[in-house]
Amino acid sequence: MASVCLKDIVKVYGSDIAVRGINLDIPDRSFAVFVGPSGCGKSTTLRMIAGLENISHGELQVDGEVVNDLPSRDRGVAMVFQSYALYPHMTVRQNLEFSLKLEKLDHSEIERRIDEAVTVLELHPFLDRKPSQLSGGQRQRVAMGRAIVREPRVFLFDEPLSNLDAKLRNQMRVEIKRLQRRLQVTTIYVTHDQIEAMTLADFIVVMRGGNIEQTGTPIDIFEAPANLFVAGFIGSPRMNLLAGTAVEIDGQLCFSNDDFTVPLPSERFADVLSAGQEITVGFRPEDIVPEQHGIEPTRSVSVTGAVEFSEMLGNETLLFFNINQTEIISRMHQPRIVESGETLNFLFNVDRIHVFDTQSGNSVLSDQVTVG
Amino acid sequence: MSNTMDGIDFAAIVDKERASKQRNWLALTAAVIISAVWVVPFYYLAISIFKTTEEYSLNHPLSLPSGLAPVVENAVTAWTHAKMGAGLWNSALYGFLGAGIAVFIAALAAYGLSRIDFKRKNLWFMLIFSGTIFPLQMYLIPLFFFYQKVGILNTHFGMVLFYSAICIPFPVLVLRNYMNGIPRDMDEAARMDGASEFTIFRRIVLPNCWGPITATFLLQFTWIWNDLLFSTVLANRAEVRSIMNALQVFQGSYSSTGPNVVLTAAVIASAPSIMMFMLLRKHFMEGMRVSGS
């Protein structure tokens, strides 16, 4: 059990800067998820914590102790790899006991740890099998078992579910969360899958280009994205963004893009916006409700649009239409098949509008959200 | 769309599939004929060792022997004339030690070349590999004089040294490529598990390379076993000469034995390497696969 603290961590490969000075505090027993597009530096950061990459600059602390120069095995961290990285020539049991034997633990201790891990992960029937004789989900569990038996202070997961099919991925996701709750070990988890990030994390670290864009609880990140990047990255389908100008109409601050005008709730934006400012507004697909097809918002702006095409997903229908050449996606909670060309009234929920400064890309409410 | 299977004659489809396979008859016949031509020398070898010298010279070379008994006498003659016992022992020593040491060193080099980051990696690899580009005969004369000067001509040590050295480059090429295919994640996992570099080599990478290791060992063993040129030049004394070198006593104007004895000696001399192949063929075939996964 341990906290992990990153101070000004930088990673340089040749002349490429992969990680640009990250500061982060991961409290004891918490579940942190690093999320971001590929190449954002999340895996590199994890590998630096693991001790698989040198830290070019900065300080890494585990439980207050600087571990920059400690080899992996002495850091008290254990990692589950994307490819599982099981030893193919060893049985499940040998895979599990490999690290313990290297540590020269005595036989009874090795047995105790293996027995515990095997019980938690229900691996008993497979102990004498080789990895090639296991299914993807079973291999995944062995990989976790190998991390558990070491009784580490910190668990590291590097996209552990990306090799599994969708159904198994959901199942393993729940298992990982349950396991972490049970073992109460600080966990750092890297993924590019925002569903994993939203469901697993106590807090999410959104990264881009070697920087942290935002840290916060899943709900913080979702409800109050710090900038356009986070707004676009978290949420599926992505947030609808429209660029325009802040204008004042009859004393009311509004967003305007040609004929599309939305009043901006003055209790939230009066102090932070001024007329004439270039702004981008965002609506999540679920905040654009087709009239008579879901719970209608109390304060809304109605726009009539012709559906260009739709995706009926069974539990919902996604509707695609245009406002001033910008594609807008609306989520219909009471699904039905919608033909292309059908005209509907869409209600934009004004209370759930997100507003960003177009030039800087930051939320105009940025002092109210946590930025990394 | 309909889900019914009516109107589809599955039996007819099965028959048609089977018939299409049988059309390969022609190809099979051609293959059998070509194989038969290829087998004739082996047939000649197989029957000749069962003939006496007299029987061999009186009948057609491809005629069947009258009995199996002469093989014993042929073997005894061959064994004593050529001192085959010593030859076999020496060749086994050169083969096992030479190929074994070479493959082990090659595995270490391959691990370094595929796993450890250092400058001019490719240059080092090309340097090692350049050993296989030049014709081997080129080394013969300098080596002879060098061995003479250092005093390891006609010694077991000299032979093992030479064979080990000459057999390194090819396994380096094979093993490096194979090890490149073994996921790096595995070493990293082992490193996190607390393994040292040598433990990773010995307990993680090496056990996953048995296929190509056996294959290259077998190839190098066979090469050493069959080598005549170097063993003739560098170790010509009876106590250190290899089996192939020993067989040379049957050559030349003073040789008094018939082809039946020579062929029997040849069969005895090649038996060990054939047996090795039989023994290790499963690993050998595995090693022939290119990827490391």
Side-chain angles (χ1 to χ4, degrees), chain A residues 259-262 301-305 321-323 344-348:
Chain A
D259 49 345
F260 179 65
T261 306
V262 186
V301 170
S302 170
V303 172
T304 307
F321 65 101
N322 285 315
I323 293 179
L344 287 166
N345 274 335
F346 293 96
L347 305 174
F348 286 67

Side-chain angles (χ1 to χ4, degrees), chain B residues 179-201:
Chain B
M179 283 181 191
N180 276 339
I182 295 177
R184 291 288 281 265
D185 281 3
M186 222 156 67
D187 331 4
E188 290 179 343
R191 195 159 293 136
M192 294 202 71
D193 275 349
S196 65
E197 204 69 56
F198 190 72
T199 309
I200 296 173
F201 169 71

Side-chain angles (χ1 to χ4, degrees), chain A residues 47 83 87-89 146 150, chain B residues 185 188 190 192-193 203 208:
Chain A
R47 290 171 57 82
S83 63
Y87 312 128
H89 57 296
R146 207 169 53 177
R150 295 189 51 208
Chain B
D185 281 3
E188 290 179 343
M192 294 202 71
D193 275 349
R203 303 212 24 209
N208 284 297

Side-chain angles (χ1 to χ4, degrees), chain B residues 79-135:
Chain B
W79 189 273
T80 46
H81 265 236
K83 297 195 177 68
M84 288 186 76
L88 282 170
W89 166 252
N90 288 331
S91 279
L93 187 80
Y94 302 152
F96 280 111
L97 281 183
I101 293 171
V103 172
F104 180 73
I105 293 176
L108 284 171
Y111 180 84
L113 288 166
S114 83
R115 292 308 208 255
I116 300 170
D117 289 319
F118 56 92
K119 274 188 186 163
R120 305 204 178 82
K121 224 152 95 162
N122 260 338
L123 186 79
W124 283 108
F125 172 64
M126 292 315 291
L127 197 68
I128 299 171
F129 192 59
S130 65
T132 60
I133 305 173
F134 306 107

Side-chain angles (χ1 to χ4, degrees), chain A residues 17-37:
Chain A
I17 305 170
V19 176
R20 296 170 176 271
I22 280 183
N23 287 292
L24 194 64
D25 261 314
I26 300 166
D28 188 16
R29 292 160 205 254
S30 62
F31 199 124
V33 175
F34 290 5
V35 67

Side-chain angles (χ1 to χ4, degrees), chain B:
Chain B
M1 258 191 292
S2 131
N3 262 339
T4 55
M5 295 291 178
D6 299 344
I8 300 178
D9 184 353
F10 287 105
I13 296 170
V14 170
D15 284 346
K16 205 174 116 199
E17 278 290 301
R18 193 174 292 150
S20 74
K21 291 230 169 74
Q22 281 167 357
R23 262 172 240 142
N24 292 335
W25 260 108
L26 214 66
L28 193 67
T29 317
V32 166
I33 292 168
I34 294 167
S35 314
V37 172
W38 194 77
V39 152
V40 168
F42 291 96
Y43 167 76
Y44 169 67
L45 183 78
I47 54 161
S48 299
I49 63 172
F50 295 108
K51 292 176 180 174
T52 60
T53 308
E54 205 174 312
E55 192 184 353
Y56 181 87
S57 47
L58 288 178
N59 300 316
H60 188 273
L62 292 184
S63 66
L64 283 170
S66 49
L68 299 178
V71 71
V72 178
E73 203 200 318
N74 288 343
V76 172
T77 316
W79 189 273
T80 46
H81 265 236
K83 297 195 177 68
M84 288 186 76
L88 282 170
W89 166 252
N90 288 331
S91 279
L93 187 80
Y94 302 152
F96 280 111
L97 281 183
I101 293 171
V103 172
F104 180 73
I105 293 176
L108 284 171
Y111 180 84
L113 288 166
S114 83
R115 292 308 208 255
I116 300 170
D117 289 319
F118 56 92
K119 274 188 186 163
R120 305 204 178 82
K121 224 152 95 162
N122 260 338
L123 186 79
W124 283 108
F125 172 64
M126 292 315 291
L127 197 68
I128 299 171
F129 192 59
S130 65
T132 60
I133 305 173
F134 306 107
L136 292 179
Q137 292 78 353
M138 210 179 77
Y139 305 126
L140 200 61
I141 292 165
L143 210 58
F144 175 78
F145 286 115
F146 173 72
Y147 268 39
Q148 200 175 36
K149 200 156 197 181
V150 181
I152 50 175
L153 202 64
N154 280 314
T155 60
H156 286 122
F157 171 74
M159 292 307 284
V160 171
L161 184 71
F162 165 72
Y163 284 130
S164 309
I166 204 84
C167 288
I168 288 174
F170 176 67
V172 171
L173 171 76
V174 175
L175 291 173
R176 170 183 167 268
N177 288 349
Y178 193 87
M179 283 181 191
N180 276 339
I182 295 177
R184 291 288 281 265
D185 281 3
M186 222 156 67
D187 331 4
E188 290 179 343
R191 195 159 293 136
M192 294 202 71
D193 275 349
S196 65
E197 204 69 56
F198 190 72
T199 309
I200 296 173
F201 169 71
R202 196 173 58 88
R203 303 212 24 209
I204 306 296
V205 174
L206 218 51
N208 284 297
C209 289
W210 276 130
I213 282 179
T214 334
T216 48
F217 174 80
L218 210 54
L219 288 172
Q220 303 307 67
F221 179 89
T222 316
W223 185 84
I224 295 172
W225 190 271
N226 292 336
D227 170 59
L228 179 62
L229 186 64
F230 287 92
S231 94
T232 309
V233 174
L234 300 176
N236 210 17
R237 293 241 292 276
E239 60 270 28
V240 288
R241 73 182 175 198
S242 71
I243 182 67
M244 291 303 153
N245 194 358
L247 290 190
Q248 287 196 99
V249 299
F250 298 117
Q251 292 281 332
S253 39
Y254 295 108
S255 125
S256 58
T257 45
N260 53 324
V261 176
V262 180
L263 288 168
T264 310
V267 169
I268 297 172
S270 42
S273 61
I274 294 173
M275 261 152 45
M276 283 276 286
F277 178 79
M278 291 297 177
L279 219 64
L280 299 175
R281 73 170 184 278
K282 198 183 116 204
H283 299 287
F284 182 77
M285 298 318 283
E286 255 171 43
M288 291 290 99
R289 276 190 264 142
V290 186
S291 102
S293 53

